[in-house]
Amino acid sequence: MSLNIVTEEYFRRYVQCVRTLQDKYLYYHDDRYYKAVLIWCNHVDIFKMFHFTPILKMEGEHGTGKSQTIMFCAGMVNRYAYLTGYTVASLRNDIDHNNDRGFFLDEQKIKLKEDVLTLLRVGAYRTGGCIQIAGKHPGERIKFKVFAPKAFGTYFPLTDAALESRCFTLYTKRKPDNIFREDAVVDIIRVEATPLREMQSIILKETRGRISEIYAGLRVPELGSNRIFQIYRVLLSIAKAYDEICPDFGFYDAILKIGISQKDRENAERDLSNIERTAFAEALLWYVRTYPMDRDGSFYRLDKIASVLRGSDSRYSGWRIEDLSKGLKKHKFVIKSSRPRFEDPNDSNKVFQATCVVFDVDKLNTIAHSGQN
């Protein structure tokens, strides 16, 4: 027999208290992100009931609050593992032994091996969460039971297309100087969020059945039936159930608009990455010859290249740094890349990171003059 604790007033108090805690630690340029983070955290506590669980990825420049979000989410879920300073070996070990919780990975400059990428991209529960990866010896297979949702921050798009395709991505920007947010610490947030997690558990317990019904029958024409729909299906199901309790917050509409934006962005990137190879090589050669002083030991900054190309050629008018990076990777025009830190020219106390590359100029010349597509 249901106690019907979750009245509209109860739910409203929960949402308002979560937003108060968010305002203490987080800043987003898009108000819908606050709702998205709340819904994603709720999904973590019931992820086993879904066939597919979305990975939360925070993407943005250094110092824009990605780590703040990761720590906040770790404080808001009941079962978690917050990892920082990890190595490939320790990450693999943690995933192997703590597979029934949310993993929260802070930014780390390590190259993830294929086996770890395989474990990270797992998001399906219908097979029991079991997956096998190759061992060190020929024919050896190691079995992992892993199906937990993951969250992490990154400066740039992931190099693993399969992992990227499972991500629910939020883009961070620098907060205005007149807005203050406290530095997040997971243990402190968990103490502050204790009553909120308890309310969250009660809400999920009473709405779980309704969420399951919505999830089973949900269709979203705006997102189609592809991977984007599968990513957002879980979040939209929870959002719709919550809107039935209290429609004032507009959770479903907020999540849907983020999903449509991500779909549009991915379609645009896909179109831009298919630009004619010869034209791309010609544009890069033009940049190298026109801006010879924009380099340090033959390294060129992608942010400056993207900015110049946007203003010089209509074909690149919508290009971002990520688009340029994907085009370079696809056509293999880069010999070497790095991400050094630079001093902010407007504030000597601030630093930022920028991706720098060394072009294969001989290849650019060959392609530009060969007419190859």
Side-chain angles (χ1 to χ4, degrees), residues 224-237:
S225 59
N226 56 14
R227 181 58 64 87
I228 291 289
F229 166 66
Q230 294 299 332
I231 290 174
Y232 284 88
R233 183 183 178 188
V234 172
L235 306 177
L236 288 170
S237 298

Side-chain angles (χ1 to χ4, degrees), residues 110-343:
I110 61 173
K111 182 175 178 60
L112 298 177
K113 297 181 179 179
E114 181 60 30
D115 59 348
V116 175
L117 287 171
T118 300
L119 297 178
L120 285 177
R121 74 170 72 106
V122 169
Y125 179 67
R126 70 173 66 194
T127 59
C130 293
I131 187 170
Q132 292 185 353
I133 62 175
K136 294 182 179 180
H137 307 292
E140 180 185 7
R141 306 292 294 178
I142 303 174
K143 190 173 183 179
F144 286 83
K145 187 177 182 182
V146 53
F147 42 77
K150 279 79 65 175
F152 45 83
T154 179
Y155 292 116
F156 42 84
L158 301 169
T159 57
D160 184 75
L163 181 56
E164 181 89 53
S165 72
R166 290 186 175 274
C167 290
F168 162 55
T169 306
L170 301 180
Y171 299 89
T172 56
K173 295 182 180 180
R174 295 188 182 279
K175 62 180 177 61
D177 293 336
N178 62 338
I179 294 180
F180 175 75
R181 292 290 184 265
E182 291 190 21
D183 291 335
V185 178
V186 174
D187 290 341
I188 293 176
I189 294 176
R190 289 196 66 80
V191 172
E192 293 178 321
T194 299
L196 298 180
R197 290 197 306 275
E198 293 173 353
M199 295 178 75
Q200 187 168 290
S201 296
I202 293 172
I203 292 170
L204 288 169
K205 183 176 181 180
E206 288 201 13
T207 58
R208 185 184 181 111
R210 180 56 183 150
I211 293 171
S212 181
E213 290 176 2
I214 295 172
Y215 179 72
L218 187 65
R219 300 293 181 270
V220 186
E222 298 92 333
L223 299 180
S225 59
N226 56 14
R227 181 58 64 87
I228 291 289
F229 166 66
Q230 294 299 332
I231 290 174
Y232 284 88
R233 183 183 178 188
V234 172
L235 306 177
L236 288 170
S237 298
I238 299 172
K240 190 171 184 178
Y242 285 0
D243 280 351
E244 291 177 354
I245 302 173
C246 181
D248 294 356
F249 297 110
F251 284 109
Y252 186 90
D253 185 61
I255 301 296
L256 177 60
K257 287 181 178 177
I258 293 174
I260 292 172
S261 176
Q262 182 164 335
K263 180 182 177 181
D264 291 345
R265 181 185 291 261
E266 290 189 6
N267 287 340
E269 289 176 357
R270 198 173 296 116
D271 292 340
L272 289 168
S273 66
N274 289 329
I275 193 166
E276 184 185 355
R277 193 181 189 205
T278 301
F280 193 19
E282 289 174 350
L284 293 174
L285 276 176
W286 170 82
Y287 181 87
V288 170
R289 293 165 179 165
T290 307
Y291 297 90
M293 300 307 294
D294 180 33
R295 56 183 173 184
D296 180 13
S298 76
F299 277 86
Y300 287 80
R301 279 174 49 179
L302 291 193
D303 57 339
K304 289 190 175 183
I305 297 173
S307 177
V308 171
L309 290 183
R310 281 197 299 267
S312 63
D313 193 321
S314 59
R315 289 172 296 185
Y316 302 93
S317 60
W319 274 49
R320 300 168 299 133
I321 302 172
E322 299 96 309
D323 305 321
L324 179 60
S325 178
K326 287 186 177 182
L328 291 173
K329 188 174 298 181
K330 175 184 178 181
H331 298 303
K332 297 181 174 61
F333 287 154
V334 171
I335 297 175
K336 187 178 180 182
S337 64
S338 66
R339 283 187 57 79
R341 292 180 179 271
F342 294 87
E343 183 179 292

